[in-house]
Amino acid sequence: MVQHQWLGIDKTSKMPLNRQIYEQIQQAIENGTLRRGDSVPASRLLAERLQVSRTVVLGAYEQLQAEGYLEMRKGAGTFIADNAAGGQDNPLELDDELDAEMVVNVPDFLSFVRSPMSGLVDVADTAACDFRHGVPAWDAFPMDRWQKSLLKACRRATPDTLTYGPAEGLMSLREEIARLVRSTRSIPAVPEQIVITSGATQALDILARLCLRTGEQVLVEDPTHPVLREIFSFSGGRVIPVPVDEQGLCTNRIEESIARHNGSPDKTKLLYITPSHQFPMGVTMSLHRRIELLNWARNTGAVIIEDDYDSEYRYVGKKVSALAGLDSSGKVVYVGSFSKILFPSLRIGYAILPPALIEPFLAVKWITDRMSPTLEQEALADFIQSGQYAKHVHQMGKLYAGRRSCLVACLVEEFGDRVRYFGDEAGLHLLIELDSPADENSIAEKSLQYGAKVYPASDYYSSFRPDKPTFLLGYANLSELQIKQGIKQFARAERDCRPGC
């Protein structure tokens, strides 16, 4: 129940008490403090708080009800009426023109926020088959076992664990992550190197703030997610794209890419890569290129940020060790997240830092965020320690492998040799290129009309944009039946969008 602490009375005033209550509620409705559907305190509770007779409160409520401001709902309480006057305009619609001085230090993010890739637009769109990437299979998550871990964390909670904790996160979770990366990613990490973050994006933001001065260079893969370019640009970095091919980042084209943007190798401060499953192409960086990249970073002094995107799921060949496992010079920051394995709203990620970056990283995190949610950290530590995490990854790997095979087969059936796909050996999505004269945005719009939502991928590219329609197709949260139906509608849309059709 909302208590409305702003409601008060002045017993020394000549105005009747019930009139004082009446006018305060009426004014709150008129100025928008109270809006349609809001509740008002029960008459007995308000009378006790104001230390007046209940009759006084009832008198005010009855007058407001008679004038159409309040309505009684049997068994539920008293609420602001739907037709109450005043204060009903949406404040977001009052003035959408911002004073330029308010946003002078903020880059223009609108092009990203309003793009189909952001996930922040068209939320009302419903499609029978939504090929959105980065979404795990909700229906296959072991919610019962997760609830047990949460319940255990709640039962163990003490006043000490429920107050502000260490910025680096709980030791119990950091210990489990250290064991996990040692056994699965060949990273010789210790818990003291690990900092828990609110997802991988927060780790990248902190590293950008920490490491970049205005004008210093950041090398990123091309293609990559636009939000990465925005994060580094916002911290003052000059973002330089480096092309990616079937073996990952083209290390032999780093110097060429820097020169093309009038840069200098010795001004490169950061280099961001996704070597285990490049986003969005899905390719795996070869071993000899990993070694070349480490040598290049060692010679230039650049710090490598390794985002181990989708490394848990590999369907073809052996799983490749992390780049950080090959690093002996402290030049690699390893960033991981549990969003794609468990669920995105968990918002738990982590960074494995070289010793020199631990204290500065923690200083920034303490100022901006203090700590990640404690109970969820405890629950996740138990989930990993109990073996449920490894079991879940194994079961999901088999499920996703089947869905990946189904998607590839459907694409070949519908498009034949006109489709080229990347990244089918790992991860939760495919990047595809169609040999088609149709426009990719037109195809996406038409496909949505037919009930299949697909995502154009050209905006992921910076300097090396594709000439043909390119799409990013996530498949983890779609059944094989949905995949088959969705690709049929996608192919139908492509045919309809060809010139002359």
Side-chain angles (χ1 to χ4, degrees), residues 2 148 345 389 435 465 467:
V2 178
K148 290 180 181 179
S345 64
Y389 178 83
D435 185 5
R465 296 175 71 89
D467 297 325

Side-chain angles (χ1 to χ4, degrees), residues 70-130:
L70 299 183
E71 63 180 9
M72 302 289 293
R73 300 178 187 173
K74 188 175 182 180
T78 305
F79 299 82
I80 307 302
D82 287 342
N83 60 350
Q88 303 305 325
D89 292 331
N90 186 342
L92 297 178
E93 297 175 352
L94 295 180
D95 184 7
D96 62 356
E97 294 296 327
L98 291 176
D99 188 333
E101 294 183 1
M102 296 173 62
V103 295
V104 66
N105 291 320
V106 181
D108 182 11
F109 289 114
L110 291 179
S111 60
F112 168 72
V113 170
R114 292 171 179 169
S115 75
M117 297 178 299
S118 69
L120 301 177
V121 294
D122 296 331
V123 292
D125 284 347
T126 56
C129 305
D130 189 343

Side-chain angles (χ1 to χ4, degrees), residues 43 67 76 165 203 212 235 249 289 364 407 490:
S43 58
E67 295 179 10
L212 290 176
S235 294
L249 183 86
R289 287 195 183 178
V364 177
L407 177 58
F490 176 43

Side-chain angles (χ1 to χ4, degrees), residues 278-297:
Q278 200 277 333
F279 183 86
M281 286 187 65
V283 297
T284 301
M285 192 175 189
S286 63
L287 178 60
H288 79 272
R289 287 195 183 178
R290 293 173 186 237
I291 295 173
E292 287 178 350
L293 189 64
L294 288 171
N295 290 334
W296 188 88

Side-chain angles (χ1 to χ4, degrees), residues 180-245:
L180 191 65
V181 298
R182 285 198 299 267
S183 62
T184 63
R185 308 302 295 128
S186 301
I187 303 175
V190 295
E192 290 74 16
Q193 289 180 266
I194 299 173
V195 176
I196 305 302
T197 62
S198 298
T201 303
Q202 186 191 40
L204 299 175
D205 179 47
I206 292 175
L207 289 166
R209 298 188 198 198
L210 192 63
C211 297
L212 290 176
R213 294 187 181 95
T214 300
E216 289 184 321
Q217 295 165 180
V218 185
L219 305 186
V220 300
E221 298 164 318
D222 191 11
T224 193
H225 203 300
V227 74
L228 269 302
R229 296 193 287 265
E230 297 287 6
I231 287 173
F232 295 129
S233 296
F234 186 40
S235 294
R238 288 186 60 210
V239 178
I240 296 178
V242 181
V244 172
D245 63 16

Side-chain angles (χ1 to χ4, degrees), residues 251-317:
T251 52
N252 62 337
R253 298 183 65 180
I254 290 178
E255 305 286 347
E256 170 196 330
S257 298
I258 293 174
R260 177 180 297 167
H261 289 79
N262 300 316
S264 173
D266 58 5
K267 291 185 179 180
T268 301
K269 193 65 179 292
L270 292 177
L271 196 158
Y272 171 86
I273 57 170
T274 52
S276 295
H277 186 237
Q278 200 277 333
F279 183 86
M281 286 187 65
V283 297
T284 301
M285 192 175 189
S286 63
L287 178 60
H288 79 272
R289 287 195 183 178
R290 293 173 186 237
I291 295 173
E292 287 178 350
L293 189 64
L294 288 171
N295 290 334
W296 188 88
R298 189 179 300 113
N299 293 333
T300 59
V303 174
I304 297 174
I305 301 176
E306 177 182 13
D307 189 346
D308 209 21
Y309 189 87
D310 277 357
S311 67
E312 293 83 359
Y313 298 122
R314 187 165 189 85
Y315 316 116
V316 178

